[in-house]
């Protein structure tokens, strides 16, 4: 909230409504002339937004990815702030039927928008071992990616892998045993994360969403992004840096000229303090980055 620097009469977009925690904070700071635009891929999140905020004339709601925010007519006049809270939400993890959690047995889905694209089960049923291994390594940094991919392909030849519990158990069965007395994350953690990121095109959507937010922000407007994964944070960091700092020179090449910054980084990476982590353990891995649109970029 502090990073967005909400003005009472401004227009703000929450691109990841979730269950409305940030939206409530923004709306509470808006005056009668302010506007709040809410987006989410998840139909359940949009249903919550409609019930809680649909009657407020200051609020507009659209189901969809923030990658497409530039196509929304409500954005055309410009925005004073954009917020992305990345990754999977707690309600998605808590509902076994959504298929996100290896700790709750349910259909192997993992789609944030259950009406779009392939489910995790459908993708795992057709992808080659090399494709699966590449996803597990690229998005999950899973060192046993090739071993896990071979096990998946061998198992699906006998019967489709249709449930989260089945996939989690299969992964655990081929992973090295943890050393005695050492605390380890669940052996399926990295693989589930990687498959979810791939199925939902999360990194591609993030890149498109950052470009769209940058284009829609008015001079002085703020972009605030909360990441929970190093790959996401790296994309956000590079995006802000590429628009706020001239590229480094190379003595072997002609000196670059004409760079005009369009963003200003507002502080560096911000992480949750001990009090916030105690109240919300998920915030332990959260990284907030904020940038401001410059006047020269108008």
């Amino acid at each position: 909230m502090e990073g967005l620097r909400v003005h009472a009469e401004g227009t703000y977009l929450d691109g990841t409504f979730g269950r409305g925690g940030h939206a409530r904070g923004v709306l509470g700071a808006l005056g009668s002339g302010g506007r709040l635009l809410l987006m989410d891929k998840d139909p359940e999140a949009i249903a919550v937004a409609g019930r809680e905020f649909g009657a407020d004339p200051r609020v507009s709601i659209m189901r969809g990815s923030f990658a497409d925010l530039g196509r929304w007519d409500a954005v055309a006049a410009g925005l004073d702030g954009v917020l992305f809270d990345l990754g999977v939400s707690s309600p998605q993890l808590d509902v076994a039927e959504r298929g996100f959690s290896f700790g709750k047995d349910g259909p192997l889905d993992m789609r944030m928008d259950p009406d779009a694209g392939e489910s995790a089960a459908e993708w795992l049923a057709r992808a080659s071992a090399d494709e699966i291994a590449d996803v597990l390594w690229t998005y999950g940094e899973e060192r046993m990616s090739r071993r896990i991919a071979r096990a998946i392909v061998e198992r699906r030849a006998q019967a489709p892998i249709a449930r989260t519990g089945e996939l989690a158990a299969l992964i655990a069965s081929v992973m090295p045993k943890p050393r005695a007395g050492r605390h380890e994350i669940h052996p399926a953690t990295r693989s589930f994360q990687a498959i979810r990121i791939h199925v939902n095109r999360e990194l591609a959507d993030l890149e498109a969403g950052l470009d769209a937010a940058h284009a829609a922000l008015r001079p002085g407007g703020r972009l605030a992004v909360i990441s929970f994964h190093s790959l996401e944070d790296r994309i956000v960091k590079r995006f802000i840096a590429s628009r706020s700092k001239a590229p480094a020179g190379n003595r072997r090449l002609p000196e670059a000229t004409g760079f005009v910054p369009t963003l200003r980084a507002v502080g560096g990476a911000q992480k949750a303090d001990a009090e916030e982590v105690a109240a919300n353990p998920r915030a332990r891995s959260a990284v907030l980055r904020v940038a401001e649109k410059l006047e020269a970029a108008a």
Side-chain angles (χ1 to χ4, degrees):
M1 286 298 299
E2 184 177 337
L4 276 180
R5 195 179 56 183
V6 177
H7 301 300
E9 305 305 303
T11 300
Y12 297 86
L13 183 141
D14 180 349
T16 47
F17 174 79
R19 289 302 180 266
H22 293 113
R24 294 182 192 93
V26 173
L27 196 60
L30 291 180
S32 59
R35 293 201 68 196
L36 176 60
L37 312 181
L38 304 176
M39 296 185 75
D40 207 293
K41 292 180 179 180
D42 191 329
E44 294 179 14
I46 291 299
V48 172
R51 288 195 299 270
E52 294 200 20
F53 302 104
D56 193 317
R58 300 171 296 172
V59 176
S60 297
I61 303 168
M62 186 176 88
R63 178 181 171 188
S65 168
F66 56 60
D68 299 320
L69 70 88
R71 301 178 187 176
W72 191 3
D73 290 345
V75 173
L79 301 171
D80 297 294
V82 176
L83 170 67
F84 299 155
D85 186 356
L86 306 176
V88 66
S89 68
S90 296
Q92 289 168 332
L93 285 171
D94 292 341
V95 178
E97 287 73 24
R98 299 301 301 274
F100 287 101
S101 175
F102 49 78
K104 295 180 173 65
D105 184 51
L108 187 56
D109 194 310
M110 295 195 192
R111 289 173 295 175
M112 293 176 180
D113 181 349
D115 299 323
E118 288 183 301
S119 69
E122 290 168 337
W123 179 69
L124 288 174
R126 68 161 184 83
S128 68
D130 284 345
E131 287 178 292
I132 295 170
D134 287 346
V135 165
L136 300 187
W137 172 251
T138 302
Y139 299 143
E141 299 175 323
E142 175 52 71
R143 290 177 295 174
M144 299 292 118
S145 60
R146 301 213 171 275
R147 181 188 294 186
I148 294 168
R150 286 194 298 269
I152 288 171
V153 171
E154 290 170 5
R155 176 66 62 85
R156 80 186 186 194
Q158 303 167 21
I161 302 171
R163 299 191 68 81
T164 56
E166 182 183 3
L167 178 60
L170 175 61
I171 293 170
S173 73
V174 300
M175 295 288 277
K177 300 300 181 185
R179 280 178 271 182
R182 182 175 175 179
H183 175 72
E184 300 274 0
I185 63 171
H186 189 285
T189 300
R190 295 186 182 92
S191 294
F192 267 63
Q193 170 188 278
I195 294 168
R196 187 206 82 217
I197 289 173
H198 174 73
V199 165
N200 291 289
R201 299 183 71 256
E202 291 179 37
L203 301 188
D205 274 11
L206 175 56
E207 290 175 342
L210 290 171
D211 282 334
H214 180 264
L217 280 171
R218 296 167 177 154
R222 293 282 184 93
L223 169 67
V225 184
I226 302 171
S227 306
F228 291 85
H229 187 283
S230 60
L231 292 175
E232 297 168 338
D233 183 55
R234 197 173 304 144
I235 290 171
V236 178
K237 180 180 179 180
R238 288 175 177 171
F239 178 86
I240 294 173
S242 69
R243 288 155 181 80
S244 59
K245 301 176 184 177
N250 186 328
R251 64 181 181 176
R252 294 184 177 88
L253 297 174
E255 186 175 347
T257 59
F259 175 78
V260 178
T262 57
L263 290 177
R264 177 181 70 86
V266 180
Q270 302 174 47
K271 298 185 179 182
D273 58 24
E275 183 179 349
E276 185 173 354
V277 171
N280 177 19
R282 182 171 175 255
R284 181 179 294 106
S285 57
V287 178
L288 168 66
R289 293 188 187 272
V290 179
E292 182 177 305
K293 187 80 169 280
L294 296 177
E295 293 286 344

